[in-house]
Amino acid sequence: LLALTLLYTIWVPQGDLAYPAILGIVAILIASTTMRNSAISTLLLQALMLAGAMLIPSERPGSAVGGMRVLVLLAISGPLLLVGIWATESSAAQLERLPLLQTGIIALALGYSIALGVAPFHVWLPTIYEHGRVLAAVLLNAVLPAALLLHMASLALAAPWLASQPVVLGLMLAGGMISVIGGSLLALAQRTVSRTLGYVAMADLGIVLLGLGLGSPVGVRAALVHLGYRGVAL
């Protein structure tokens, strides 16, 4: 997707610094998705999110303020993910430590929700379509969700008992349903194509979360296929 977008931007200039920045971002992306240590992988993922937010400011009015808004929100998600990983790993050896486990699940849910733009933490999504560069939109709303889901899968492999918790699947289903309904209704109320696309992207991501929340192999395969279609469409 990034390669196709870079070819597209030959006709839509993105600025002199965008292309070397993308090379660095791709290096961070590869490192974050191949790292086995959950904490280091999360830090690299946080660097990826912050670097992607740096690509948002463009010549459009208000893009700097919009980029700062996205930067702040994505910066919050990283510490939440780190707290969630620490809490779940600390309670893995002693499953009777229920309060710590609950704290970890809540922190992970908040961190992933903010980084993915799940309702009601979607306020940064329309901004990247309204003010941002094409590269920023594809990176933050197509490539980043794939990296986050890989991160989620790695965490589930490291802690299989966590993925089997009913509350985890319930949170995915709830977030997906709210995103689908909320994104669709908000998209109907927009008067610009860019903001409409932002809310449609949120609703579309909700479909992916619904598939994952079902917890069945068929649902997971359908969600991943839809994630691929979604990225190409964006």
Side-chain angles (χ1 to χ4, degrees), residues 31-88:
S32 67
T33 53
T34 55
M35 184 64 62
R36 297 302 182 99
N37 186 286
S38 299
I40 297 177
S41 175
T42 304
L43 290 173
L44 291 170
L45 200 57
Q46 172 83 101
L48 170 66
M49 290 187 279
L50 298 182
M54 297 290 186
L55 290 176
I56 293 176
S58 61
E59 293 75 18
R60 300 177 185 179
S63 65
V65 175
M68 183 61 68
R69 186 183 302 121
V70 176
L71 184 68
V72 170
L73 286 171
L74 292 181
I76 294 173
S77 66
L80 286 171
L81 292 175
L82 286 173
V83 169
I85 289 172
W86 167 78
T88 52

Side-chain angles (χ1 to χ4, degrees), residues 129 190-199:
Y129 289 95
Q190 303 307 310
R191 296 183 178 272
T192 61
V193 175
S194 57
R195 291 186 66 84
T196 301
L197 184 58
Y199 289 116

Side-chain angles (χ1 to χ4, degrees), residues 1 15 43-44 89 107 121 129 142 144 154 158 167-168 199 201 213 221-222:
L1 286 173
L43 290 173
L44 291 170
E89 288 181 349
F121 306 102
Y129 289 95
L144 178 60
S154 298
V167 66
V168 175
Y199 289 116
R221 285 198 297 269

